[in-house]
Amino acid sequence: MEQMSVVDSFYSLKTREDVAKLLSIEERSLRYFLYKIRLQNNYKSFSIPKKDGSLRIICAPDERLKSIQRKLSVILSAMYSPKPCVYGFVSGKSFVDNAEKHLCKKSILNLDLKDFFDQIHFGRILGMLIKPPYSIGKEAAITIAQIACYNGRLPQGSPCSPIITNMICSPLDNALMRLAKKTGCHYSRYADDITFSTYKEFDKGIVYNNNGTIELGDEIKRVLSKHSFAINPKKISLRTRACRQEVTGITVNERLNPRRSYIKQLRAILHHCRIYGVFNTAKQFVEKGYCKNDYIKRIINDPDKEDEIRAWFSQVLIGKINYLRMIKGNKDLTYLSYAKRYNEIFQTPYFDITNLERFDACIRNSVFILSTADATEQGSGFFCPGYGLLTSFHVTEKGEHFGVFSIESYGEEPLSFADRGITDKSSDYNIDYALYSITTKKINPELVFPLGDSRKLRIGDTVIMIGYPEYLKGNSVTIQTCNIIGTKYYMGSSFYAVSGRVLHGASGGVVLNLSHEIVGIIKGGAVSMEESEHAINQGFVPIHLVIEHIKSNS
């Protein structure tokens, strides 16, 4: 049935027979479900633990009822136009999108609608359907509410419950969006999770601090009361940038990140799988109470079930690694490194790690160690496509004869040379860059980092810094992911300060954005990790300044 005919048919619903026809089932079959065997007898209830230790009751319909509810869900979805503030149960949106809306804000207010599904009862669904904008017949509305409800409430576990919650919350969303606009903040809702955020202080109509107690403002309380929703008082959270700010379980202070505890646990699990084996690690996982699968808990100590337990645990790890990918992206190095470990542990190419393989190949091929013959002077450099070898001006400022080495060639014959007055093409003391022609034919032009646009960078953005501080043969490249914490003028030119530690020898190395595009040249650095952070300038020169200067001198 075409979506337009579904919409037309829905608005013309009057009777139970109309509903049955729209659901493509016989009216007598629907009547049998509603009144003969009664819908209450078609549910199985079970509980799962919440994060706070309490239990969430799930009421799952049997397959016959679930089939009807799925059809109803599709029909109701055609009737509902999602508000821009709604992220839960909306096609094309996710909890990650919801969190991203509140990234880098000064203050974030998190609220939780109390007993969300229980607050949506038979009478509310009936009232919604017989009133505008739907205005269907009362008998038809009663029939739909009967299909949707279990014991007079909207059950968690029904395929049509999510779309009905969004439809019921639509007037609330409108009111809270208007309040957010009026008070200069941002609002979003993911199911029962409500979030407000602002670049400034919250208006007292939203929330305020009453001698250390967080109090909701009168205006937001009036809106919630008018639309018959209550807030869980135990889940009111107001956090500033000085604290860890979370939205739908994702840290949003500077960039989207899972909780540190999540990364730490996943890293430990993968390490233990390598050292102690998958089966033993799975047993430890269950013994610590992380497993919610009753069947697995029953068989976990049965050595004859090892293959079954391994298969289950592999799916657990796939889910955890995919969660990381959803938040951090396909090119994130943490995600890729864990995906690689999974492939190695289970000896399968389950995860596509092509981005990691290319990233590593580009470093080996186009990021270099610059060193004098006696290794008393060192720095880093990289090949910039279309231009040549780039490094910091101060690395080769004294004019020594620098060899250009890859990790494989270090200590042997250099790939090329960086000689001031001989191979230099362009440079600037203030910007702090030097461009050299590179004579080697060993660089594969297909394995270089592409040039990005550093003019798009903003404070809070994540960058990847790659260089060779204090390099000795056998060392690996230093790769550091950090954030831009400020911009300023340093030595007469624009400079981006970062949150990471930049050691001497990394200067001249490449800075990438999260798309693995060149956006800068590493500049500055501490003599050691112990040197005072405040006594140095650590960061990078944005690449657009370098390219503009090269072009102006060509």
Side-chain angles (χ1 to χ4, degrees):
M1 186 180 290
E2 296 292 333
Q3 179 167 317
M4 199 60 195
S5 63
V6 168
V7 173
D8 292 340
S9 298
F10 186 89
Y11 281 124
S12 64
L13 290 176
K14 300 295 181 186
T15 66
R16 181 175 59 246
E17 188 172 356
D18 293 337
V19 175
K21 183 178 180 181
L22 188 59
L23 291 171
S24 300
I25 58 177
E26 293 185 4
E27 190 274 339
R28 64 179 180 177
S29 297
L30 181 56
R31 190 164 14 100
Y32 175 77
F33 262 105
L34 295 177
Y35 302 112
K36 184 69 175 178
I37 61 174
R38 304 184 71 83
L39 292 178
Q40 287 85 341
N41 298 322
N42 288 275
Y43 284 89
K44 180 184 290 185
S45 298
F46 58 93
S47 60
I48 58 175
K50 298 181 183 180
K51 293 178 183 178
D52 61 5
S54 62
L55 295 177
R56 175 178 284 113
I57 306 301
I58 303 297
C59 302
D62 64 18
E63 285 304 318
R64 294 175 300 172
L65 177 56
K66 185 182 289 186
S67 176
I68 295 173
Q69 290 175 338
R70 283 199 188 106
K71 292 178 181 179
L72 178 59
S73 175
V74 171
I75 292 165
L76 294 178
S77 295
M79 304 305 303
Y80 173 71
S81 297
K83 310 295 179 184
C85 61
V86 179
Y87 289 85
F89 317 128
V90 175
S91 178
K93 289 185 176 182
S94 71
F95 67 99
V96 179
D97 300 316
N98 181 54
E100 191 170 23
K101 183 180 179 74
H102 304 284
L103 193 62
C104 299
K105 299 297 197 301
K106 181 176 181 178
S107 298
I108 290 181
L109 172 66
N110 293 312
L111 307 173
D112 191 88
L113 293 175
K114 185 179 180 181
D115 301 327
F116 185 48
F117 284 85
D118 281 348
Q119 289 192 60
I120 301 174
H121 51 72
F122 186 95
R124 292 187 74 168
I125 298 172
L126 175 61
M128 173 189 71
L129 293 172
I130 63 177
K131 295 175 183 177
Y134 306 110
S135 303
I136 68 174
K138 187 172 181 179
E139 182 180 312
I142 289 173
T143 304
I144 290 173
Q146 287 176 317
I147 294 170
C149 288
Y150 172 60
N151 289 336
R153 304 280 173 176
L154 201 60
Q156 292 193 59
S158 163
C160 61
S161 289
I163 179 61
I164 291 175
T165 63
N166 278 345
M167 294 170 74
I168 288 285
C169 287
S170 190
L172 173 69
D173 291 327
N174 283 333
L176 291 179
M177 278 195 299
R178 287 194 296 269
L179 179 58
K181 183 176 181 180
K182 173 185 172 183
T183 56
C185 57
H186 298 81
Y187 160 72
S188 73
R189 182 179 60 81
Y190 189 92
D192 57 346
D193 289 329
I194 284 178
T195 305
F196 286 87
S197 64
T198 178
Y199 289 111
K200 53 182 183 178
E201 299 292 337
F202 273 114
D203 184 280
K204 288 190 176 181
I206 300 288
V207 68
Y208 60 95
N209 191 320
N210 182 14
N211 295 321
T213 301
I214 304 304
E215 301 279 1
L216 290 184
D218 290 340
E219 290 193 68
I220 195 171
K221 286 195 288 189
R222 274 196 295 270
V223 170
L224 291 165
S225 176
K226 178 181 178 181
H227 295 279
S228 302
F229 281 101
I231 293 294
N232 186 340
K234 296 180 180 179
K235 293 190 176 182
I236 298 174
S237 171
L238 177 62
R239 292 178 177 267
T240 66
R241 287 180 65 88
C243 310
R244 186 180 73 240
Q245 297 172 319
E246 285 190 0
V247 177
T248 47
I250 302 176
T251 303
V252 294
N253 291 66
E254 295 177 335
R255 54 179 167 145
L256 298 182
N257 255 327
R259 292 171 179 162
R260 290 181 183 177
S261 58
Y262 186 92
I263 298 287
K264 186 177 179 181
Q265 184 201 49
L266 181 54
R267 181 172 63 242
I269 289 173
L270 292 170
H271 175 72
H272 287 168
C273 283
R274 285 173 124 175
I275 303 301
Y276 306 113
V278 174
F279 181 59
N280 289 329
T281 305
K283 287 179 66 177
Q284 187 182 50
F285 184 83
V286 173
E287 288 166 2
K288 288 184 175 181
Y290 297 128
C291 174
K292 311 305 178 189
N293 186 317
D294 289 335
Y295 174 71
I296 293 296
K297 286 191 279 189
R298 287 198 302 271
I299 69 169
I300 192 63
N301 290 311
D302 186 348
D304 294 334
K305 301 290 186 179
E306 181 172 344
D307 289 344
E308 192 172 351
I309 291 167
R310 278 179 57 92
W312 161 76
F313 200 52
S314 73
Q315 293 302 308
V316 171
L317 292 178
I318 286 172
K320 285 182 172 294
I321 294 170
N322 273 330
Y323 176 80
L324 197 61
R325 176 186 59 80
M326 285 183 68
I327 296 173
K328 298 176 77 66
N330 290 325
K331 289 190 174 183
D332 178 76
L333 298 183
T334 303
Y335 154 69
L336 288 168
S337 65
Y338 289 176
K340 180 182 179 182
R341 290 183 202 178
Y342 175 92
N343 288 354
E344 292 170 347
I345 290 165
F346 290 92
Q347 298 181 350
T348 174
Y350 181 88
F351 287 102
D352 181 1
I353 58 171
T354 305
N355 285 328
L356 180 62
E357 293 168 344
R358 175 174 174 77
F359 181 83
D360 290 340
C362 287
I363 291 175
R364 292 194 303 272
N365 182 68
S366 64
V367 185
F368 308 113
I369 308 145
L370 273 59
S371 178
T372 55
D374 58 6
T376 56
E377 296 290 336
Q378 277 189 345
S380 303
F382 62 94
F383 181 77
C384 183
Y387 294 93
L389 173 69
L390 278 174
T391 186
S392 295
F393 183 91
H394 71 266
V395 168
T396 56
E397 181 177 6
K398 295 179 181 178
E400 288 95 336
H401 180 77
F402 279 82
V404 179
F405 300 91
S406 65
I407 286 182
E408 289 82 2
S409 70
Y410 187 77
E412 301 173 6
E413 189 69 22
L415 302 175
S416 187
F417 295 96
D419 283 296
R420 188 166 296 283
I422 301 176
T423 60
D424 59 318
K425 299 168 66 178
S426 181
S427 64
D428 187 83
Y429 172 81
N430 291 326
I431 297 175
D432 198 8
Y433 87 90
L435 173 67
Y436 291 90
S437 59
I438 186 162
T439 56
T440 182
K441 295 182 180 180
K442 294 183 179 180
I443 294 179
N444 182 346
E446 299 298 319
L447 292 176
V448 297
F449 293 114
L451 193 60
D453 187 356
S454 55
R455 289 170 297 188
K456 295 179 180 179
L457 294 174
R458 299 292 182 267
I459 293 174
D461 284 356
T462 303
V463 292
I464 304 165
M465 307 180 76
I466 306 171
Y468 297 94
E470 301 174 350
Y471 190 78
L472 296 173
K473 188 173 179 61
N475 288 359
S476 60
V477 64
T478 297
I479 303 171
Q480 185 175 186
T481 301
C482 50
N483 297 100
I484 299 172
I485 59 174
T487 60
K488 62 177 180 178
Y489 276 85
Y490 177 49
M491 292 175 61
S493 185
S494 183
F495 174 81
Y496 286 32
V498 298
S499 58
R501 300 285 286 173
V502 181
L503 295 181
H504 282 311
S507 290
V510 66
V511 181
L512 308 176
N513 59 21
L514 292 181
S515 296
H516 300 171
E517 298 170 330
I518 298 169
V519 291
I521 304 174
I522 298 176
K523 175 177 179 176
V527 174
S528 70
M529 291 298 287
E530 287 72 37
E531 183 173 334
S532 170
E533 179 177 350
H534 303 292
I536 54 177
N537 288 282
Q538 301 177 105
F540 64 94
V541 174
I543 198 68
H544 72 271
L545 295 181
V546 175
I547 300 303
E548 288 169 1
H549 189 270
I550 292 171
K551 288 180 177 179
S552 68
N553 288 341
S554 60

